[in-house]
Amino acid sequence: MTAPLTPPPPPHERSAQDAWQPPAAGPGANGPQAPGSQHAEYAEGAGHGWYGQDGPGMKTEVREAAVISLAVALGGVLLGVLWWWLAPHVPLVGDVAEGNWVVYLKDTEGEQAVGVDGTFTLLALGFGVVSALVVFLLRRRGGVPLVVGLAVGGLLGSLLAWRLGVWLGPAEDVIARARDVGRGVTFSAPLKLGAKGALLAWPLAALVLHLGLTALFGPRDPEPEFEHGPYEAPPAA
């Protein structure tokens, strides 16, 4: 009598619970992480200062920019005094024609008037270089409000220097001056800025130099650090 034939046992099949069992928790437990988890950790780490300490808030930057703008503008007092002191004098002569006083240039081919504008421009360029260098050394991190404050301060300083130099210079009433000194006597013309574009020399020089210094020597943002290294794609099956 032979034993009944029994069918071989079926291959082992994983249960539904085993098939959908979640991977073990913890980084690196089941090989490289999925791209989504890497992005999530990157975003989370960015908020914890991976890039170093954040700069001052916008209100602080605006307040610092206002202080710098005021300080730079006050430098226009020195610029105005230097312009009045170093600018060449334009000689005038008064005369009487048909009972009326007239004033004309003593040297019609002279270049003193051009020298007045050139002196202001050169001084303004120098003040722009100095102010940009000082501001960069004090605030290396830069920022848009700081640059705007520097440019505005330079423009206000140029305007202040212009008006102060005119005020310190000879009287603007040349007819009255000619009557005071007498007929045929040489006197200096009022200090006048013929090329108004010279008022932009200070702010433009300060703006260009400060941006250049910031680009070359300003602080750099550190590279982001990945806790688990860069993501690597799993090998193909």
Side-chain angles (χ1 to χ4, degrees), residues 164-186:
L164 179 62
V166 172
W167 179 72
L168 292 175
E172 297 187 52
D173 191 350
V174 293
I175 298 297
R177 179 65 176 166
R179 289 173 178 172
D180 292 339
V181 299
R183 182 178 180 179
V185 179
T186 303

Side-chain angles (χ1 to χ4, degrees), residues 61 136 139-147 210 214 219:
E61 291 187 359
F136 175 75
R139 294 291 184 270
R140 285 181 175 268
R141 62 177 175 270
V144 175
L146 185 66
V147 175
H210 187 273
T214 303

Side-chain angles (χ1 to χ4, degrees), residues 39-217:
H39 292 307
E41 291 183 2
Y42 178 81
E44 181 182 357
H48 287 80
W50 283 0
Y51 290 96
Q53 297 180 352
D54 296 334
M58 181 57 66
K59 292 183 178 180
T60 303
E61 291 187 359
V62 172
R63 184 165 55 250
E64 291 179 353
V67 173
I68 289 175
S69 178
L70 179 60
V72 172
L74 291 177
V77 176
L78 180 59
L79 175 58
V81 173
L82 290 176
W83 180 47
W84 163 70
W85 182 34
L86 298 176
H89 297 279
V90 180
L92 299 178
V93 174
D95 199 356
V96 178
E98 298 180 357
N100 296 323
W101 278 90
V102 293
V103 177
Y104 54 91
L105 290 172
K106 182 179 181 180
D107 186 5
T108 56
E109 297 181 357
E111 298 181 354
Q112 292 87 350
V114 178
V116 172
D117 294 346
T119 302
F120 186 93
T121 303
L122 292 177
L123 289 173
L125 289 174
F127 272 71
V129 170
V130 172
S131 59
L133 183 60
V134 172
V135 170
F136 175 75
L137 293 177
L138 294 177
R139 294 291 184 270
R140 285 181 175 268
R141 62 177 175 270
V144 175
L146 185 66
V147 175
V148 173
L150 179 61
V152 172
L155 181 58
L156 294 177
S158 296
L159 293 173
L160 178 60
W162 170 40
R163 299 313 306 171
L164 179 62
V166 172
W167 179 72
L168 292 175
E172 297 187 52
D173 191 350
V174 293
I175 298 297
R177 179 65 176 166
R179 289 173 178 172
D180 292 339
V181 299
R183 182 178 180 179
V185 179
T186 303
F187 61 97
S188 298
L191 199 58
K192 182 184 298 185
L193 188 63
K196 297 301 188 293
L199 297 172
L200 299 177
W202 185 347
L204 288 180
L207 182 63
V208 172
L209 181 59
H210 187 273
L211 291 177
L213 291 175
T214 303
L216 293 175
F217 307 106

